[in-house]
């Protein structure tokens, strides 16, 4: 069949399309309310924020045309009903049909108000719909300020999706503005109680620019705490500390002003008084044009700034659909970078002018500063004299440690450091424990900010090279002892060597590295695998050096053991020294190590008791 006849022509398609009737979506209001209450909003309490947003936006719209118009919002609650009155722009009958009966339509899109769009908080239609989360009936009485001759109108809706509109007499509402009446749904009366409404209004609206009251109680408290005048910097710190305790429940170590005029951001960051995990997500309070948007903003600051909690007001950041979080876009990324720079500048100023406060801060939050310094050479250079590290010289800064040692040795794990720290210190070798978060990265970055500094990773070979060799004649005389000791530890993948080192109290030193541990783990897996996997793991066998037990020839106990003639007793004693060396290094014990310790302990007990019986 010809392809031209197998498909309808474009003209016939257009004709068919034109003859089909258009349909509109039908909205199940009950289902939509359920969606709002269980999925879009985190709590029913947001209904009050939506009412405040609508009232504030209505006032903003009226003042855009009449700057001298009154700006008042009044709330009256009794546990069953809630009445919200505003002196805003108001609505006409056509506005009611167009805006309130169409989900998502906003009065802020009305003609003539596009130039003031940035001053609004939300959408009247979707915001009022959210009230059905706590109300079974909503009644709106409004009079338009834009159309002075228009009479007051009433819009009444129920949660089944039905609504009515009627015109009211002039005396029903003489002045422009809007009054919203809510009637509580069954079981939701607590949300309309006066005490609850006042608490929510203060939480959401304390920074709103207009006069908002619940009954006679004021809601707004301007200026914001960070903008209020104080007689001295110390008095301001005390006042902000009180604000932090009331808001977050802790007294801060310090406060940091967050002022980013280009992004329209003003606020304060409070430094936590105790250490927190970097993985713990911080919750920050963000107000949008004075209205609380969220108290759990997580993406506001860089990840390294996990040691502060922020409260701020902005007019530039974009909220998500639920208006309970921030939308991740270029603006938020820019604000995050600017706030991070502000915190970085605070740290730099402390280092330059207030070392006592900096030391107090670092004693708690050095991990956050280390996280920043590893990506910021200038911050690392600034903090070098202050950041503490665990070293063989005690807990000192890298700057101080580098001044004492020609070579800055470091280990990559805490276990490696514990293995070598006592021996290295006795030999005069300086070692930094790089096993903690970020520490090895910062040590390796040291030459970039301190030219001439030599940094080297400390491994088992380096440690062994700093230990004294035993006289060859003495070592030859102990060849039988060493052979028996090596035979005892060979099944564990560990060699035995003899050296002389300090301190004398250390009888043995267990040394390995990551390559040796990897080979050991591979060998264990091969021994436990079936034939197929054993063959595969066997093909992966490497030439990595084995772990070593270095016996201290200067230690009296080792000398006594080396004089034993019984190979079996030498093996048991060597196993005991091996287990003790593992415990001293605080290494996690494998099942084979635990079995060895138990076997060696029982063996020594048997030898001791048999020896006692023989003496009797």
């Amino acid at each position: 069949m010809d392809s031209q006849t197998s498909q309808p022509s474009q003209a016939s398609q257009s004709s068919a399309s034109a003859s089909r009737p258009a349909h509109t979506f039908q909205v199940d209001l009950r289902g939509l309310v359920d969606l709002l209450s269980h999925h879009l909003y985190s709590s029913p309490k947001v209904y009050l924020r939506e009412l405040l947003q609508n009232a504030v936006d209505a006032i903003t719209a009226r003042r855009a045309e009449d700057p001298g118009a009154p700006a008042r919002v009044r709330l009256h609650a009794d546990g069953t009903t809630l009445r919200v009155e505003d002196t805003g722009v108001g609505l006409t009958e056509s506005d009611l049909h167009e805006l309130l009966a169409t989900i998502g339509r906003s009065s802020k899109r009305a003609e003539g108000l596009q130039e003031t769009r940035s001053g609004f908080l939300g959408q009247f239609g979707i915001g009022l719909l959210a009230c059905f989360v706590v109300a079974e009936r909503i009644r709106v009485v409004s009079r338009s300020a834009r159309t002075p001759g228009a009479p007051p109108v009433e819009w009444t809706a129920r949660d089944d999706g039905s609504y009515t509109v009627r015109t009211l007499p002039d005396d029903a509402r003489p002045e422009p503005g809007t009054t919203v009446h809510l009637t509580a749904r069954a079981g939701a009366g607590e949300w309309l109680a006066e005490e609850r409404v006042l608490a929510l209004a203060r939480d959401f609206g304390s920074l709103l620019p207009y006069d908002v009251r619940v009954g006679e109680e004021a809601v707004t408290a301007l200026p914001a705490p960070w903008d209020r005048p104080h007689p001295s910097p110390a008095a301001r710190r005390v006042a902000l500390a009180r604000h932090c305790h009331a808001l977050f429940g802790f007294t801060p170590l310090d406060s940091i002003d967050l002022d980013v005029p280009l992004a329209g951001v003003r606020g304060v960051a409070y430094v936590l008084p105790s250490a927190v995990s970097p993985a713990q997500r911080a919750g920050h309070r963000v107000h949008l044009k004075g209205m609380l948007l969220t108290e759990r903003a997580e993406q506001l600051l860089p990840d390294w700034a996990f040691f502060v909690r922020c409260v701020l007001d902005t007019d530039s950041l974009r909220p998500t659909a639920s208006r309970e979080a921030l939308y991740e876009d270029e603006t938020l990324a820019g604000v995050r970078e600017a706030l991070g720079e502000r915190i970085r500048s605070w740290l730099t100023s402390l280092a330059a002018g207030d070392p006592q406060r900096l030391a107090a801060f670092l004693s708690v939050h050095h991990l956050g500063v280390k996280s920043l310094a590893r990506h910021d050479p200038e911050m690392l250079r600034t903090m070098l004299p202050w950041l503490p590290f665990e070293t063989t010289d005690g807990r000192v800064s890298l700057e101080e440690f580098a001044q004492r040692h020609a070579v800055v040795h470091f280990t990559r794990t805490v276990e490696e450091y514990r293995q070598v720290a006592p021996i290295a210190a006795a030999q005069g070798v300086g070692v930094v424990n790089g096993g903690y978060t970020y520490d090895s990265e910062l040590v390796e970055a040291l030459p970039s900010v301190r030219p001439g500094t030599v940094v080297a990773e400390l491994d088992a070979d380096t440690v062994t090279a700093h230990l004294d060799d035993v006289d060859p004649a003495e070592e030859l005389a102990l060849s039988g002892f060493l052979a028996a000791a090596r035979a005892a530890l060979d099944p564990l993948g560990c060699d035995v060597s003899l050296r002389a080192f300090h301190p004398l109290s250390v009888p043995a030193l267990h040394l390995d590295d990551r390559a040796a541990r990897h080979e050991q783990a591979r060998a264990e897996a091969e021994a436990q695998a079936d034939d197929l996997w054993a063959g595969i793991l066997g093909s992966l066998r490497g030439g990595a050096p084995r772990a070593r037990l270095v016996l201290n020839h200067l230690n009296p106990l080792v000398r006594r053991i080396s004089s034993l003639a019984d190979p079996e007793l030498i093996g048991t004693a060597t196993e005991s020294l091996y287990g003790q060396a593992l415990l001293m290094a605080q290494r996690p014990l494998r099942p084979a190590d635990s079995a060895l310790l138990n076997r060696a302990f029982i063996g020594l007990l048997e030898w001791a008791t048999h020896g006692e019986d023989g003496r009797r």
Side-chain angles (χ1 to χ4, degrees):
M1 180 180 293
D2 191 285
S3 62
Q4 290 183 343
T5 62
S6 64
Q7 298 179 359
S9 67
Q10 184 175 357
S12 63
Q13 286 182 343
S14 300
S15 175
S17 176
S19 64
R20 294 172 187 160
H23 299 280
T24 58
F25 288 105
Q26 300 297 313
V27 177
D28 178 356
L29 187 58
R30 290 186 187 274
L32 188 57
V33 169
D34 181 74
L35 179 66
L36 290 173
S37 60
H38 292 99
H39 301 284
L40 183 62
Y41 295 124
S42 62
S43 166
K45 69 180 183 181
V46 298
Y47 88 93
L48 192 68
R49 183 196 63 194
E50 300 294 343
L51 288 175
L52 288 176
Q53 284 182 348
N54 288 337
V56 169
D57 284 345
I59 294 173
T60 301
R62 183 176 180 184
R63 285 202 154 190
E65 300 176 353
D66 179 9
R72 297 187 306 273
V73 180
R74 297 291 183 264
L75 297 90
H76 305 274
D78 59 14
T80 302
T81 62
L82 172 66
R83 185 173 80 256
V84 183
E85 302 175 353
D86 69 65
T87 57
V89 68
L91 301 170
T92 63
E93 182 175 355
S94 60
D95 291 335
L96 289 174
H97 285 289
E98 180 181 4
L99 303 176
L100 299 187
T102 306
I103 303 303
R105 184 68 61 84
S106 172
S107 60
K108 276 69 76 177
R109 295 195 183 101
E111 184 179 354
L113 291 180
Q114 288 292 340
E115 67 276 8
T116 62
R117 177 69 177 145
S118 62
F120 296 109
L121 299 171
Q123 292 185 334
F124 192 81
I126 192 69
L128 196 61
L129 182 67
C131 294
F132 280 119
V133 173
V134 298
E136 67 175 7
R137 188 168 72 100
I138 301 174
R139 176 170 166 258
V140 178
V141 177
S142 187
R143 184 165 196 157
S144 176
R146 293 198 204 114
T147 312
V153 290
E154 177 191 73
W155 178 87
T156 304
R158 307 190 69 86
D159 58 2
D160 61 1
S162 63
Y163 76 94
T164 60
V165 175
R166 66 184 181 124
T167 301
L168 300 178
D170 283 346
D171 59 359
R173 184 174 182 95
E175 300 296 328
T178 299
T179 302
V180 178
H181 303 262
L182 301 187
T183 302
R185 65 169 55 248
E190 61 173 309
W191 293 105
L192 273 61
E194 184 176 25
E195 185 177 350
R196 174 65 69 89
V197 169
L198 177 60
L200 292 178
R202 283 177 172 167
D203 193 38
F204 285 122
S206 62
L207 301 184
L208 290 174
Y210 306 132
D211 179 16
V212 182
R213 295 177 181 272
V214 176
E216 299 300 322
E217 297 289 336
V219 168
T220 51
L222 296 177
W226 49 85
D227 287 330
R228 294 171 189 169
H230 297 279
S232 67
R236 184 174 187 270
R237 280 198 298 270
V238 170
L240 288 177
R242 285 198 299 266
H243 174 250
C244 175
H245 192 276
L247 206 59
F248 295 113
F250 66 85
T251 300
L253 283 178
D254 207 347
S255 57
I256 309 167
D257 285 323
L258 303 178
D259 187 4
V260 187
L262 293 179
V265 172
R266 286 280 296 160
V268 62
Y270 294 116
V271 181
L272 291 165
S274 56
V276 293
S277 167
Q280 180 177 332
R281 303 303 298 176
H284 307 292
R285 289 177 64 93
V286 177
H287 295 254
L288 179 61
K289 303 180 183 75
M291 181 71 72
L292 178 66
L293 179 71
T294 178
E295 53 191 358
R296 296 188 304 273
E298 296 181 350
Q299 68 274 50
L300 186 65
L301 294 180
D303 290 341
W304 55 262
F306 54 82
F307 50 83
V308 298
R309 296 292 180 268
C310 295
V311 53
L312 55 83
D313 187 30
T314 176
D315 60 12
S316 63
L317 297 180
R318 178 182 171 191
T320 58
S322 66
R323 296 195 288 284
E324 294 187 280
L326 296 172
Y327 189 83
E328 185 67 51
D329 57 12
E330 293 182 358
T331 302
L332 179 57
V335 168
R336 180 163 52 236
E337 182 178 350
L339 295 181
E341 180 60 36
R342 184 65 194 87
I343 298 174
R344 185 186 290 108
S345 299
W346 170 77
L347 286 170
T348 304
S349 66
L350 284 188
D354 200 338
Q356 186 174 359
R357 285 170 65 198
L358 178 63
F361 166 76
L362 289 178
S363 67
V364 179
H365 296 299
H366 55 272
L367 196 59
V369 180
K370 286 180 178 180
S371 175
L372 169 61
R374 66 193 177 118
H375 297 305
D376 189 333
E378 188 58 37
M379 181 56 62
L380 177 58
R381 185 179 294 107
T382 302
M383 291 293 143
L384 264 183
W386 308 103
L387 285 174
F389 287 78
E390 182 180 358
T391 75
T392 49
D393 291 354
R395 196 163 181 80
V396 299
S397 69
L398 283 183
E399 176 69 25
E400 182 178 353
F401 189 82
Q403 290 174 357
R404 298 179 184 176
H405 300 276
V407 178
V408 177
H409 290 97
F410 73 98
T411 63
R412 291 193 181 275
T413 68
V414 175
E415 290 80 7
E416 291 172 354
Y417 177 79
R418 288 169 178 165
Q419 283 179 339
V420 303
I423 310 304
Q427 310 306 312
V429 179
V431 185
V432 178
N433 184 355
Y436 295 113
T437 307
Y438 311 132
D439 283 10
S440 61
E441 297 175 68
L442 294 176
V443 175
E444 289 181 297
L446 191 55
S448 66
V449 297
R450 196 179 188 276
T453 302
V454 179
V455 172
E457 183 176 355
L458 188 68
D459 55 21
D461 291 333
T462 304
V463 176
T464 305
H466 282 82
L467 305 181
D468 295 333
D469 291 329
V470 177
D471 182 84
E474 290 188 60
E475 188 169 4
L476 182 61
L478 296 175
S479 58
F481 159 71
L482 290 174
R486 287 165 181 155
L489 297 187
D490 184 67
L492 296 172
C494 183
D495 292 332
V496 177
S497 60
L498 190 65
R499 293 288 189 276
F501 56 86
H502 292 273
L504 300 181
S505 59
V506 178
L509 175 66
H510 181 270
L511 294 176
D512 65 0
D513 54 25
R514 285 182 298 281
R517 289 195 291 274
H518 176 75
E519 175 61 21
Q520 191 176 58
R522 186 210 59 77
E524 290 177 358
E526 179 182 355
Q528 298 175 5
D530 56 29
D531 292 341
L532 174 61
W533 282 108
I536 295 174
L537 292 170
S539 68
L540 299 176
R541 183 181 296 110
R546 292 163 29 118
R548 270 169 285 175
L549 182 69
V550 183
L551 301 177
N552 188 359
H553 187 53
L554 301 180
N555 180 266
L557 176 61
V558 173
R559 283 183 172 274
R560 287 197 296 272
I561 294 173
S562 65
S563 66
L564 295 172
D566 184 354
E568 184 177 348
L569 184 55
I570 291 174
T572 301
T574 303
E575 289 176 340
S576 299
L577 291 175
Y578 172 84
Q580 188 263 354
L582 288 180
L583 293 175
M584 288 296 293
Q586 301 182 43
R587 290 287 304 277
L589 298 180
R590 302 169 297 161
D593 297 330
S594 299
L596 175 144
L597 279 172
N598 183 64
R599 183 173 65 248
F601 178 71
I602 297 299
L604 290 177
L605 281 179
E606 289 181 349
W607 176 83
T609 54
H610 288 166
E612 184 65 25
D613 291 342
R615 286 192 290 274
R616 289 177 183 174

